[in-house]
């Protein structure tokens, strides 16, 4: 195959860019769910408004 | 109510959309990957080398479908943005903004693969040719939409501002499409025609069709995933997201 280096470079660009698009989206979804889980844990640990104040 | 209209109404509900996107995005990715793998096999191993360009013409099988996607995704983004602006449908804002990074990715692939093909064929990596320049402006427009959307804290105002930019930017699409006709261009003229006669030999055609279908299926997966991520971000304080986050992981 002639121009092999150019063909490999072009196909590598295609795979890398689409791969980045796939991985970055997966990580974003994971980050959002992790954030929601941590927020829920913080809110569960916080005492309620009507909780009695104690010394 | 008509069941299709009822389904559209249901799809507007964030928890329902999350379930829908989580279910169908892997199918888009999976089928897209499968079809593209078949197309790439044909492009690399089945079609003969071009009598003038040699094997460098095989770059066309990723360059052309990406170029078509770069323009189609921008058009779709503007379409969703227009619906979101007129009817204030939140899901359309989300879908419009989810289009931007995917379209930018396809535009980047178009520019880079075109440049890699141009070096052995034209003797240069880049030329300020009308087709190349307008495609570069398209990338800047995508980056502008992404930047504007992330620069404003309020998600809905951000989507409206970025959507407006997308709608205005649609004017560039016919310029890209006909740039090779309107101006003297180093970039070759139209080779492939859907309705008319193509200048490409039929023996080289099938892998291109597979790649065009494959990139579209991949886009469906990517769009649903990105829209799902943005939907979760907007709804992060809601009980259903907390429940989902506690119950299962992405």
């Amino acid at each position: 195959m002639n121009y092999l280096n150019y063909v490999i470079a072009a196909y590598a660009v295609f795979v890398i860019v689409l791969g980045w698009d796939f991985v970055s989206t997966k990580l974003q979804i994971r980050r959002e769910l992790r954030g929601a889980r941590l927020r829920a844990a913080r809110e569960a640990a916080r005492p309620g408004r009507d909780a009695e104040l104690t010394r | 109510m008509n069941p299709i209209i009822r389904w559209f109404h249901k799809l507007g509900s964030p928890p329902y959309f999350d379930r829908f996107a989580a279910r169908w995005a892997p199918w888009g990715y999976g089928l897209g990957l499968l079809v593209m793998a078949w197309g790439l096999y044909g492009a690399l191993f089945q079609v003969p080398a071009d009598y003038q360009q040699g094997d460098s013409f095989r770059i066309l099988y990723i360059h052309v479908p990406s170029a078509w996607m770069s323009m189609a995704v921008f058009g779709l983004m503007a379409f969703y943005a227009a619906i979101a602006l007129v009817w204030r449908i939140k899901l359309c804002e989300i879908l419009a903004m989810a289009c931007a990074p995917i379209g930018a990715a396809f535009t980047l692939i178009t520019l880079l693969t075109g440049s890699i093909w141009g070096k052995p064929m034209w003797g240069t990596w880049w030329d300020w040719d009308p087709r190349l320049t307008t495609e570069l402006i398209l990338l800047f427009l995508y980056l502008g939409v992404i930047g504007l959307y992330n620069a404003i804290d309020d998600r809905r105002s951000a989507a409206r501002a970025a959507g407006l930019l997308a709608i205005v930017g649609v004017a560039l699409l016919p310029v890209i499409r006909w740039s090779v006709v309107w101006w003297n261009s180093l970039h070759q003229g139209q080779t492939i025609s859907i309705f008319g006669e193509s200048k490409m030999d039929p023996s080289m055609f099938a892998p291109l069709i597979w790649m065009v279908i494959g990139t579209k299926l991949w886009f469906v997966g990517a769009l649903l995933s990105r829209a799902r991520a943005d939907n979760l971000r907007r709804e992060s304080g809601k009980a259903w997201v907390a429940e989902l986050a506690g119950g299962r992981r992405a």
Side-chain angles (χ1 to χ4, degrees), chain A residues 2-4 8-9 12 17-20 22 25 27 29 37-39 42 45 50 52-55:
Chain A
N2 50 27
Y3 302 113
L4 182 64
I8 290 172
V17 174
L18 287 190
W20 162 82
F22 178 79
T25 311
L27 290 177
I29 291 172
R37 196 164 49 247
L38 291 174
R39 183 180 292 113
R42 273 199 308 275
D50 54 348
E52 238 177 80
L53 291 173
T54 52
R55 284 175 191 273

Side-chain angles (χ1 to χ4, degrees), chain B residues 113-137:
Chain B
T113 55
S115 178
I116 292 167
W117 176 87
K119 181 62 181 164
M121 292 299 111
W122 293 344
T124 180
W125 295 104
W126 182 262
D127 185 75
W128 292 103
D129 162 276
R131 174 60 68 84
L132 275 66
T133 308
T134 48
E135 190 72 17
L136 182 65
I137 294 170

Side-chain angles (χ1 to χ4, degrees), chain B residues 60-247:
Chain B
L60 174 150
Y61 291 102
I62 46 175
H63 175 74
V64 173
S66 301
W68 287 357
M69 286 305 289
S70 72
M71 291 194 285
V73 173
F74 201 94
L76 188 67
M77 176 170 72
F79 174 72
Y80 281 137
I83 292 175
L85 275 176
V86 175
W87 287 291
R88 306 286 167 112
I89 300 172
K90 199 161 71 171
L91 178 62
C92 286
E93 287 174 8
I94 291 172
L95 288 170
M97 294 305 109
C99 282
I102 311 165
F106 277 114
T107 312
L108 187 65
I109 291 171
T110 306
L111 288 167
L112 291 177
T113 55
S115 178
I116 292 167
W117 176 87
K119 181 62 181 164
M121 292 299 111
W122 293 344
T124 180
W125 295 104
W126 182 262
D127 185 75
W128 292 103
D129 162 276
R131 174 60 68 84
L132 275 66
T133 308
T134 48
E135 190 72 17
L136 182 65
I137 294 170
L138 184 72
L139 178 65
F140 291 154
L141 271 174
Y142 272 124
L143 296 180
V145 169
I146 296 166
L148 196 55
Y149 185 53
N150 289 298
I152 301 169
D153 281 335
D154 179 52
R155 292 290 83 196
R156 301 214 68 179
S157 305
R160 277 198 287 276
L164 201 62
L165 178 60
I167 293 166
V168 172
V170 161
L172 183 67
L173 298 184
V175 181
I176 299 174
R177 171 69 180 75
W178 280 289
S179 58
V180 290
V181 179
W182 292 343
W183 295 289
N184 281 327
S185 172
L186 182 62
H187 194 284
Q188 69 200 64
Q190 187 178 332
T191 310
I192 300 143
S193 173
I194 295 169
F195 301 109
E197 196 179 337
S198 294
K199 291 173 188 162
M200 194 179 193
D201 191 84
S203 66
M204 297 169 165
F205 210 65
L208 187 66
I209 298 296
W210 287 118
M211 286 303 292
V212 167
I213 297 169
T215 46
K216 285 191 173 39
L217 289 168
W218 177 273
F219 169 73
V220 170
L223 179 68
L224 288 175
S225 284
R226 285 206 173 267
R228 185 179 176 220
D230 195 17
N231 187 38
L232 286 169
R233 184 179 166 195
R234 285 172 180 234
E235 297 280 311
S236 57
K238 302 283 172 64
W240 72 268
V241 180
E243 197 180 314
L244 179 73

